[in-house]
Amino acid sequence: MAKLSVNNISKSYGKKEIIKDISLEVNEGEIVCLLGVSGVGKTTLFNIISGLLVPDGGKVLLDNKDITGESGHISYMLQKDLLLPYKTVLDNVSLPLIIKGENKRSANLKAEKYFKTFGLDGNQDKYPHQLSGGMRQRAALLRTYLFSQEVALLDEPFSALDAITKRTMHSWYQNVMEKIKLSTLFITHDIDEAIVLSNRIYIMSGKPGQITQELKIEHQKPRGEKFVLSKEFIDYKRWILNVLDNSC
């Protein structure tokens, strides 16, 4: 049984159909990427999965329970880290627990246990402006994880980083996900990123947006420079580019 199931989701705004009959699954501990061009409806789909929007048709299931239109079950991390500048890193990542009713001391103690795992140890009392872009994204991901350890939606979390920092973050992300086993659905426009990070890739295209292909990445994780330079990686990339070219 899948951890997250999206079944036949459709959504229109007025007479304009944005997404149509989308179905996908995320299994326990799996990282699944949703890859497609801008404007295809990926963010609309995420808003529906998270409960921020109600679909015109279809269902969202978490552990086989219908959560369609219900927020609070699935965590959602946007492109920007959205850390509050007047709060310390520890207080920022503790916010989901406080919102759920825990007192600040208890929330801080629980959050701090994860600082070493997420590579944030020693930064508890710093403020967001004192952190690098990569460190801010680590803090944002920890905050996302503390909101819900069931399923996370990540909307291009590394898109604002420079190429060198992004490569470092990919390595870190693979390592931390091996430890926490967070079931994740991940939006990206970056084909290399999708191949490096994913267990599976759904390719979304068309107007209205639809799932047109699914690709399983068989190579063992973590995937580093050797994999990125391999024939296997190039073959995956060539196949994806061919699918995207034919869908335009």
Side-chain angles (χ1 to χ4, degrees):
M1 185 176 68
K3 186 71 176 174
L4 173 70
S5 296
V6 175
N7 298 331
N8 308 111
I9 291 291
S10 297
K11 181 67 178 178
S12 298
Y13 294 123
K15 295 182 178 180
K16 185 176 183 180
E17 199 171 19
I18 305 301
I19 54 177
K20 181 179 180 180
D21 199 30
I22 288 181
S23 296
L24 58 82
E25 292 183 341
V26 180
N27 297 316
E28 187 81 42
E30 192 177 33
I31 300 173
V32 176
C33 271
L34 191 61
L35 180 67
V37 299
S38 296
V40 79
K42 300 185 298 298
T43 299
T44 296
L45 178 62
F46 264 30
N47 287 337
I48 290 170
I49 295 172
S50 64
L52 297 176
L53 281 177
V54 177
D56 299 330
K59 293 183 178 181
V60 179
L61 305 178
L62 180 63
D63 290 326
N64 212 33
K65 177 185 176 184
D66 189 349
I67 60 165
T68 311
E70 298 179 13
S71 60
H73 298 283
I74 294 175
S75 57
Y76 190 174
M77 179 176 165
L78 302 173
Q79 295 177 33
K80 295 182 179 179
D81 58 70
L82 300 179
L83 299 175
L84 299 176
Y86 53 86
K87 286 185 176 290
T88 65
V89 175
L90 180 57
D91 285 344
N92 263 288
V93 301
S94 300
L95 273 176
L97 301 176
I98 294 171
I99 290 170
K100 290 183 177 183
E102 295 205 25
N103 64 59
K104 181 179 177 180
R105 177 175 172 77
S106 172
N108 282 355
L109 287 172
K110 285 186 179 181
E112 194 165 19
K113 291 178 182 178
Y114 292 98
F115 267 61
K116 186 174 181 180
T117 300
F118 279 74
L120 289 165
D121 205 23
N123 293 286
Q124 287 88 330
D125 296 325
K126 290 183 179 179
Y127 287 85
H129 74 272
Q130 296 175 295
L131 301 183
S132 66
M135 294 296 282
R136 290 172 65 108
Q137 290 303 97
R138 294 186 189 200
L141 184 61
L142 174 52
R143 183 182 57 191
T144 302
Y145 178 65
L146 290 173
F147 178 83
S148 170
Q149 297 175 14
E150 298 283 349
V151 176
L153 306 178
L154 307 184
D155 189 348
E156 297 191 80
F158 308 130
S159 62
L161 303 176
D162 64 81
I164 295 173
T165 303
K166 184 186 283 193
R167 187 174 62 181
T168 301
M169 286 296 293
H170 286 168
S171 178
W172 168 82
Y173 178 76
Q174 290 182 80
N175 289 330
V176 76
M177 293 300 281
E178 283 296 304
K179 295 175 183 176
I180 65 175
K181 304 292 184 183
L182 178 63
S183 306
T184 306
L185 185 60
F186 190 116
I187 284 178
T188 183
H189 294 103
D190 187 329
I191 295 173
D192 290 14
E193 182 172 77
I195 298 170
V196 168
L197 298 181
S198 306
N199 298 98
R200 289 183 296 114
I201 300 170
Y202 287 105
I203 297 178
M204 193 170 167
S205 60
K207 290 188 182 297
Q210 295 178 285
I211 301 295
T212 55
Q213 293 285 350
E214 179 185 351
L215 174 65
K216 185 174 182 179
I217 307 298
E218 301 284 358
H219 194 88
Q220 185 178 357
K221 292 183 179 183
R223 302 169 186 151
E225 288 297 316
K226 189 174 180 180
F227 172 62
V228 174
L229 297 173
S230 69
K231 180 181 181 302
E232 184 182 8
F233 179 90
I234 298 301
D235 287 343
Y236 281 132
K237 188 169 183 178
R238 184 179 291 114
W239 186 88
I240 292 169
L241 286 169
N242 184 58
V243 170
L244 292 172
D245 286 345
N246 289 334
S247 67
C248 294

